[in-house]
Amino acid sequence: MNLRRLSFRMAEEISRTAELRSSASTATKSKSKSLWPSVLRWIPTSTDHIIAAENRLLSLVKTPYVQERVNIGSGPPGSKVRWFRSASNEERFINTVTFDSKDDSPTVVMVHGYGASQGFFFRNFEALASRFRVIAIDQLGWGGSSRPDFTCKSTEETEAWFIDSFEEWRKAKNLSNFILLGHSFGGYVAAKYALQHPEHIKHLILVGPAGFSSSEDAKNEWIMQFKTTWKGAIINHLWESNFTPQKLIRGLGPWGPKIVRGYTNTRFGARAAGTTLNEDESQLLTDYVYHTLAAKASGELCLKYIFSFGAFARKPLLQSASEWKVPTTFIYGYQDWMNYKGAQDARKDMKVPCEIIRVPEAGHFVFIDNPEGFHSAVLYACRRFLSPDPDNESLPQGLTAA
């Protein structure tokens, strides 16, 4: 999701939520008490619902896949493994889908962004699986993965939640020497993981990555000015209180699916930067997104610890650019609200090969807006693993190097 735009809408939406709840309360009083159980169960979601919605969405993909819940272990309350620290000692799982290709094909692992899940890549699996072994995951606390209580209290602990759980998943899958692709917040996690475990990654692809600048940067002075306004103060308070967009979806109860439908129809329909979703795609994605957002709050609560209001990183990746150890390709849509100039600034300090590719007719969800352009960008980024003569490969027509 576009965190910055969502943050500006929080104040308006919270007032709407109050009005809707009031209307719902009045209407409910006029009905029989026997209806209360159905009202209380109006958010009909669970892991089973999420997986079922995922399977329906992925039925659009013709390439066979294997879905599994990869066990990443368990730990009792008080465990020193920070992302296990919870009220229960149940085992944790990472929801994983694998599209196998030829035995000698390189492996690409795809990591979704904030408020999303691996199903958001449904338009890409088939094309990429023709050249790669494709593996996509739901990060811990999102999608169909386990949703343990989120007990992190700092940026360091929150980063460890995602980085350590991904490393345990990698061990369970016995993976190494793979291409790691992360979108938005998933790009932030992928980059932080590659900084700690570069020995496992042979190429890093960051798609509209979050986290390259902070609100203290001079060019972002506007955010400091906005915070001084009454609206800015309210929204900043909501942000620091960890009022997430998902809480709106849950709080709206029976209106939750309608809000999600409006979002998907608008973002990937009327206001799509590139190709629009057809009716089946829109309906299946809406159903999938609703179930993933309405489920138990877990990984979503990372928001205030990783970003300050306005989606600016508390520990910007730009500060670690000189420590980069993995060749990297950045991919941005022309209309991406994440500014590619952050990648340009980072490249100045990187000591490894780095390319920046821009894709036309695409916004932040470049892989949905312009899947063909996105696939061309990924194949070009990985040309040294796919082409017999990578040095003579030219940038595909329509793409732009920044």
Side-chain angles (χ1 to χ4, degrees):
M1 287 188 170
N2 186 322
L3 298 181
R4 191 168 296 165
R5 289 176 183 172
L6 282 170
S7 64
F8 280 96
R9 294 177 61 187
M10 279 183 176
E12 298 176 359
E13 294 291 351
I14 190 65
S15 62
R16 292 178 188 173
T17 300
E19 292 175 3
L20 287 169
R21 281 178 172 171
S22 176
S23 298
S25 176
T26 301
T28 302
K29 288 178 181 178
S30 66
K31 295 180 180 291
S32 168
K33 292 183 179 181
S34 63
L35 292 179
W36 271 109
S38 62
V39 172
L40 295 174
R41 293 195 302 268
W42 184 254
I43 304 179
T45 195
S46 65
T47 299
D48 290 341
H49 281 84
I50 293 170
I51 298 302
E54 172 188 297
N55 289 334
R56 289 191 293 270
L57 179 63
L58 296 187
S59 69
L60 299 172
V61 182
K62 304 306 180 185
T63 304
Y65 68 93
V66 174
Q67 186 274 336
E68 59 182 328
R69 301 188 75 204
V70 178
N71 190 332
I72 58 173
S74 62
S79 170
K80 293 181 180 180
V81 183
R82 284 170 286 191
W83 44 275
F84 279 147
R85 194 170 59 216
S86 180
S88 70
N89 62 353
E90 63 184 6
E91 294 177 331
R92 314 298 183 199
F93 297 87
I94 297 293
N95 184 43
T96 306
V97 292
T98 301
F99 297 81
D100 279 322
S101 186
K102 298 177 182 178
D103 291 338
D104 58 348
S105 298
T107 296
V108 59
V109 176
M110 306 178 75
V111 183
H112 63 83
Y114 185 90
S117 304
Q118 51 83 4
F120 271 66
F121 296 115
F122 74 98
R123 276 187 158 184
N124 316 116
F125 291 139
E126 192 163 349
L128 295 181
S130 67
R131 305 298 300 275
F132 303 93
R133 178 193 182 204
V134 177
I135 304 176
I137 67 165
D138 288 334
Q139 297 192 69
L140 184 68
W142 268 317
S145 291
S146 296
R147 295 183 178 233
D149 298 335
F150 189 87
T151 57
C152 300
K153 299 299 181 184
S154 68
T155 301
E156 293 79 9
E157 286 189 348
T158 304
E159 288 184 353
W161 164 288
F162 296 105
I163 295 170
D164 293 351
S165 60
F166 184 84
E167 172 61 3
E168 292 303 309
W169 172 86
R170 183 203 64 79
K171 292 177 182 177
K173 291 289 290 182
N174 194 28
L175 286 176
S176 193
N177 198 36
F178 58 93
I179 300 158
L180 181 57
L181 183 154
H183 171 244
S184 194
F185 173 67
Y188 178 89
V189 173
K192 292 282 185 173
Y193 176 84
L195 283 166
Q196 289 191 25
H197 303 281
E199 67 277 10
H200 302 304
I201 312 300
K202 63 181 180 181
H203 198 83
L204 185 63
I205 302 177
L206 303 180
V207 184
F212 273 88
S213 63
S214 70
S215 59
E216 283 71 34
D217 293 344
K219 58 188 176 184
N220 296 324
E221 184 179 350
W222 65 272
I223 195 66
M224 305 303 293
Q225 295 176 348
F226 180 74
K227 285 182 179 180
T228 64
T229 67
W230 68 268
K231 183 179 286 188
I234 291 174
I235 300 176
N236 185 62
H237 174 73
L238 289 172
W239 188 285
E240 294 299 329
S241 300
N242 229 352
F243 186 85
T244 66
Q246 290 90 329
K247 288 183 179 179
L248 278 176
I249 303 302
R250 298 185 195 101
L252 288 172
W255 293 274
K258 183 178 180 180
I259 295 297
V260 174
R261 188 181 309 113
Y263 168 74
T264 55
N265 288 344
T266 301
R267 173 58 186 84
F268 303 113
R271 297 183 184 176
T275 59
T276 60
L277 298 179
N278 62 41
E279 186 175 346
D280 286 344
E281 290 176 323
S282 181
Q283 182 176 346
L284 292 172
L285 181 61
T286 295
D287 182 51
Y288 173 71
V289 171
Y290 171 72
H291 285 299
T292 60
L293 295 183
K296 174 189 173 182
S298 181
E300 72 188 66
L301 299 175
C302 72
L303 192 59
K304 80 169 200 175
Y305 297 108
I306 298 294
F307 303 109
S308 61
F309 167 62
F312 294 105
R314 297 191 186 276
K315 290 197 169 185
L317 286 164
L318 189 60
Q319 298 174 356
S320 306
S322 62
E323 303 168 27
W324 231 261
K325 299 180 178 65
V326 178
T328 303
T329 300
F330 293 88
I331 299 176
Y332 292 88
Y334 273 23
Q335 288 80 44
D336 197 330
W337 66 280
M338 287 293 182
N339 197 332
Y340 71 93
K341 293 182 179 180
Q344 288 182 320
D345 291 340
R347 184 171 56 185
K348 296 174 184 178
D349 295 327
M350 287 185 181
K351 299 177 178 62
V352 295
C354 174
E355 295 177 319
I356 304 171
I357 301 174
R358 300 183 69 202
V359 180
E361 298 182 9
H364 190 52
F365 290 95
V366 54
F367 45 88
I368 295 180
D369 294 331
N370 186 350
E372 289 77 15
F374 172 73
H375 302 152
S376 295
V378 172
L379 293 177
Y380 182 75
C382 300
R383 61 193 180 278
R384 64 190 181 98
F385 313 118
L386 301 171
S387 173
D389 190 14
D391 293 335
N392 288 322
E393 290 276 339
S394 57
L395 187 68
Q397 187 175 3
L399 304 183
T400 303

